[in-house]
């Protein structure tokens, strides 16, 4: 089958398959603060690292019209900082609770019964007991084009200013995926535990001097 992105129905598919095709995606569980001092936490799976040195990450927040932007985007544009938490294996339910559509100002750390650990390089708490967290400074927001219902995403790029790693997930100087146990988002309502790893070196191409 072949179809234009929003014509999946003509191809016999029940749901937009994009997120099932671009899967698995890491989950950026993003904590942020407003200028009023309110604290926010929500998961974003349009999330990834986009540059290693300097370390830069990106997430993308959906808006249902200009009046309905997500609290995370509002906070990040207000204060210029955020923290990306990595969801621990035992924290999937809490992550899901924090995705609820709570009113602005309601602290999802409380709703999900999570502890707050003060940030080091940014004035944003990270989630207690996470295997890792990335403290970030806002680099740039990019308003992406809207659909015909006036809904659009805003991509948010952040420079990583500090990295927290729980010592318990480090083995012989490397992060152990088995201990980090990252939870990934698939399409539909599906998630994946990533637990099958293999190593592969890149080819070394030798150029002969002419
Ligand atoms: C696993 C997961 C991934 C999500 N990824 C995104 C995303 O990438 N972009 C987005 O706009 N919403 C995403 N959502 C929905 C938001 O988490 C949800 O709208 C939340 O209420 C936003 O909170 P906020 O307004 O406090 O930022 C996701 C939800 C879940 C459960």
């Amino acid at each position: 089958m072949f179809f234009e992105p929003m014509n999946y129905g003509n191809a016999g598919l029940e749901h937009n398959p994009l997120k099932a095709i671009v899967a698995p995606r890491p989950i950026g569980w993003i904590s942020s603060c407003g200028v009023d001092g309110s604290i926010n936490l929500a998961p974003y799976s349009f999330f990834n690292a986009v540059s290693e040195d300097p370390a830069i990450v990106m997430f993308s927040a959906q808006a249902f019209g200009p009046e309905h932007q997500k609290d995370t985007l509002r906070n990040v544009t207000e204060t210029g900082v955020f923290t990306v938490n990595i969801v621990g294996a035992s924290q999937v339910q809490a992550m899901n609770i924090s995705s609820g559509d709570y009113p602005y100002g309601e602290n999802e750390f409380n709703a999900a019964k999570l502890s707050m650990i003060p940030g080091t390089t940014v004035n944003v708490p990270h989630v207690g007991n996470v295997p890792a967290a990335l403290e970030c400074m806002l680099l740039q927001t990019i308003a992406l084009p809207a659909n015909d219902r006036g809904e659009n995403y805003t991509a948010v790029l952040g420079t990583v200013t500090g990295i927290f790693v729980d010592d318990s997930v480090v083995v012989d100087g490397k992060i152990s995926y088995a201990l980090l146990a990252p939870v990934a988002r698939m399409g539909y309502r599906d998630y994946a535990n990533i637990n099958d790893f293999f190593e592969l070196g890149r080819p070394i191409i030798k150029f002969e001097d002419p």
Side-chain angles (χ1 to χ4, degrees):
M1 62 177 71
F2 185 86
F3 48 90
E4 290 176 353
M6 290 313 289
N7 287 346
Y8 54 86
N10 297 345
L13 298 177
E14 274 181 50
H15 304 280
N16 187 334
L18 185 75
K19 292 191 284 188
I21 293 169
V22 184
R25 293 181 311 288
I27 299 171
W29 198 12
I30 297 181
S31 41
S32 61
C33 299
V35 280
D36 62 359
S38 62
I39 295 172
N40 197 84
L41 177 69
Y44 285 80
S45 71
F46 284 134
F47 162 73
N48 222 309
V50 292
S51 165
E52 189 175 27
D53 181 14
I56 297 171
V57 297
M58 189 219 73
F59 70 93
S60 190
Q62 190 179 23
F64 301 100
E67 302 305 314
H68 296 99
Q69 66 177 15
K70 302 217 171 175
D71 300 344
T72 301
L73 180 62
R74 171 177 166 176
N75 285 351
V76 169
T77 46
E78 276 183 10
T79 61
V81 286
F82 61 96
T83 292
V84 177
N85 300 272
I86 300 305
V87 181
S90 64
Q91 295 176 314
V92 180
Q93 296 301 333
M95 176 279 295
N96 197 32
I97 290 169
S98 75
S99 77
D101 197 10
Y102 302 95
Y104 183 79
E106 187 152 338
N107 183 343
E108 289 89 354
F109 281 83
N110 297 337
K113 298 187 168 51
L114 294 161
S115 59
M116 294 189 280
I117 311 295
T120 302
T121 62
V122 296
N123 191 18
V124 178
H126 72 252
V127 177
N129 299 319
V130 286
L134 308 172
E135 298 184 341
C136 300
M137 193 185 294
L138 175 62
L139 179 66
Q140 192 178 349
T141 59
I142 304 166
L144 303 176
N147 63 17
D148 50 16
R149 294 182 301 284
E151 303 163 352
N152 83 319
Y153 283 77
T154 298
V156 178
L157 291 161
T159 305
V160 179
T161 54
I163 299 181
F164 162 79
V165 176
D166 191 301
D167 292 340
S168 68
V169 303
V170 178
V171 177
D172 296 335
K174 289 167 83 175
I175 303 273
S176 158
Y177 311 118
L179 296 173
L180 187 80
V183 177
R185 187 78 170 95
M186 308 298 285
Y188 317 114
R189 294 180 177 172
D190 301 326
Y191 290 81
N193 291 311
I194 311 291
N195 52 21
D196 185 14
F197 314 108
F198 59 92
E199 211 175 49
L200 184 65
R202 287 180 62 191
I204 297 165
I205 312 294
K206 289 205 174 93
F207 291 95
E208 301 291 335
D209 279 341

